[in-house]
Amino acid sequence: MSLQHASLGLMRGGDQTKTATVNVQLEDYDHVAFDLDGTLVDSEAVVESALRRWAREERISPDHALRMSAARRDVDLVAAITPGLLPEREAARIADYEIQAMRLLQPIQGAAEFYNSIPAERRSIVTSSARVSALARLQAAGLSCPRILIAAEDVSQGKPHPQPYQTLLRMLRITPKRCLVFEDSRTGIEAAIAAGCDCVGIGPNARGHPDTRGWIENFCEASFLADRADPASQNERRAAK
């Protein structure tokens, strides 16, 4: 089974002013990996509510906790700003507060449609969120859990370290260039690229990164056509590379 064609309206990496059309052919990849927060779901209000609640209870500046949390796993955040507390215990507490605030979750335009357009066996999620929080986000957004979900507990080093994506690649037993990644943050983009994967940036925070295959504001900018090419034409396209 081949992946679908995706013709994406992308901004080339360093160009901040012009939008160019870059064709990313999904059948050139064996797998598509997604970040979760900011890519498939808008969980900013969920995270802010949980972190502010936790910070107030620990008598930490909520604004400082939010600034330090950007693209970090909660265990790393706790270790950085409250070294006297047990990171795993506090991260579990923050995750519980996130679940209680899940009503604040918002969808990302076009994300569910694109995610569902990828065959289930060819998609995965790589997130810095705790597994319990990630599963709650997926349920709240009406997205099915992928066969492979790499969460905060599955790695010893989070993004921008490449370990999360390296872990995925080992599980899939594919080379990095056979995996296309969608990320919304510079930290996530750096992790994907350091692992050797091609990456497409999505959303305002990913705009202008020089090493991505391109950039889109949201998945509504993409038009998707079912792959109706015959096997011979696909082989010719691959042979031409």
Side-chain angles (χ1 to χ4, degrees):
M1 182 187 301
S2 64
L3 292 176
Q4 293 175 319
H5 289 293
S7 179
L8 305 179
L10 301 174
M11 169 183 274
R12 291 191 184 278
D15 190 338
Q16 295 281 355
T17 60
K18 296 181 180 179
T19 298
T21 298
V22 179
N23 287 324
V24 176
Q25 303 297 337
L26 293 190
E27 77 270 14
D28 291 339
Y29 300 92
D30 295 326
H31 201 80
V32 179
F34 298 87
D35 175 51
L36 181 57
D37 299 297
T39 300
L40 291 178
V41 298
D42 180 356
S43 58
E44 184 176 355
V46 174
V47 172
E48 180 171 350
S49 174
L51 280 180
R52 286 189 178 279
R53 177 180 174 183
W54 174 79
R56 286 194 299 268
E57 291 176 354
E58 293 302 323
R59 298 183 179 181
I60 302 165
S61 165
D63 289 340
H64 177 62
L66 283 169
R67 284 194 301 271
M68 294 293 289
S69 71
R72 273 183 166 164
R73 300 182 304 162
D74 290 335
V75 289
D76 297 328
L77 169 67
V78 173
I81 67 175
T82 54
L85 299 179
L86 294 176
E88 291 79 9
R89 184 186 65 192
E90 298 307 311
R93 189 168 139 214
I94 293 169
D96 182 57
Y97 291 168
E98 288 184 353
I99 292 171
Q100 294 178 42
M102 206 58 65
R103 68 190 182 282
L104 301 174
L105 192 80
Q106 297 293 323
I108 296 286
Q109 283 187 304
E113 291 81 1
F114 181 45
Y115 177 81
N116 290 329
S117 76
I118 307 299
E121 68 276 11
R122 301 292 185 91
R123 68 187 181 212
S124 61
I125 291 174
V126 179
T127 178
S128 297
S129 295
R131 181 171 295 273
V132 64
S133 293
L135 292 174
R137 285 160 162 76
L138 291 172
Q139 183 177 14
L143 296 171
S144 61
C145 183
R147 183 172 59 90
I148 298 177
L149 170 64
I150 306 295
E153 303 95 322
D154 300 316
V155 295
S156 59
Q157 299 184 78
K159 304 171 186 178
H161 195 279
Q163 189 183 81
Y165 285 106
Q166 291 170 337
T167 300
L168 173 67
L169 293 169
R170 283 197 301 271
M171 295 178 70
L172 293 172
R173 298 182 180 180
I174 62 174
T175 60
K177 288 302 180 183
R178 301 302 298 169
C179 182
L180 179 66
V181 174
F182 285 88
E183 276 277 3
D184 75 297
S185 70
R186 300 184 77 84
T187 298
I189 289 170
E190 289 167 11
I193 291 173
C197 301
D198 285 347
C199 185
V200 172
I202 180 167
N205 294 329
R207 186 169 186 157
H209 196 289
D211 298 321
T212 61
R213 288 291 307 274
W215 175 86
I216 53 176
E217 181 66 38
N218 56 60
F219 287 115
C220 289
E221 294 186 359
S223 60
F224 305 99
L225 299 175
D227 180 9
R228 300 182 183 215
D230 59 71
S233 64
Q234 292 183 23
N235 291 335
E236 288 173 4
R237 191 162 49 245
R238 291 191 178 103
K241 287 188 165 187

